[in-house]
Amino acid sequence: APASDVAPDARPDATPDAVAAMARKLGVRTPLDVNGAYVPAMGLGSIAVSPLDMASAYATLAAGGMYVEPHAIRRVVLASGKEDTGWGTPKRRRVVPDGLAAVVTEILGDNMLYGTGTRAAFGRPAAGKTGTTDDNADAWFVGYTPDLATAVWMGYTRGEIPMTNVHGISV
């Protein structure tokens, strides 16, 4: 039946458009469309997204649904004690309810305790997700603690090359 003929409560919530909109809210700036349309497999990783975008999205969850625009660290404080004062004021705004961020954090926390992320667990509250693309061409871990988010990507920048023999192991 056409979407207009389906009762509003029977329409799926996780449409490709809705997934793309949520990704944008969380901080993903990478183009997510293919020839002007969002593909159903987008939420499964069919669109290449930058590590910065992934870290930004997970940082939004870590901050209880508050998006903070990423900014570069322009200077490091050295052992001499010289401090950086040029970071400016962070640009932040609420993009998802804190309860939603808490539920996602609980699920991703369980993933680190019992799922694919167990090898990333390190003895303190954390949440995260692993991921690989077809033929092991990319490998990911994206995770966070209450005060730090990170994304680790392993692959080849020149293309999707299977990592079947990296120092003798398959990724």
Side-chain angles (χ1 to χ4, degrees), residues 117-144:
T118 57
R119 294 181 72 187
F122 59 100
R124 65 177 283 205
K129 180 74 179 87
T130 61
T132 55
T133 57
D134 290 343
D135 299 321
N136 295 332
D138 295 287
W140 287 88
F141 178 78
V142 187
Y144 55 95

Side-chain angles (χ1 to χ4, degrees), residues 22-123:
M22 181 58 73
R24 289 274 179 257
K25 281 183 182 181
L26 294 175
V28 174
R29 299 296 171 251
T30 303
L32 299 172
D33 66 301
V34 176
N35 298 323
Y38 300 119
V39 296
M42 174 183 38
L44 300 174
S46 65
I47 305 296
V49 176
S50 75
L52 177 61
D53 279 358
M54 293 300 290
S56 177
Y58 277 57
T60 301
L61 296 169
M66 294 293 292
Y67 169 77
V68 179
E69 184 177 310
H71 58 276
I73 298 173
R74 295 181 217 140
R75 197 164 158 211
V76 176
V77 177
L78 301 175
S80 66
K82 194 171 189 177
E83 293 185 26
D84 175 19
T85 58
W87 287 41
T89 303
K91 297 175 187 173
R92 64 180 82 203
R93 68 183 183 281
R94 175 156 304 283
V95 295
V96 296
D98 57 349
L100 175 63
V103 169
V104 174
T105 296
E106 182 178 348
I107 292 166
L108 294 174
D110 283 350
N111 183 58
M112 287 188 62
L113 295 175
Y114 313 110
T116 61
T118 57
R119 294 181 72 187
F122 59 100

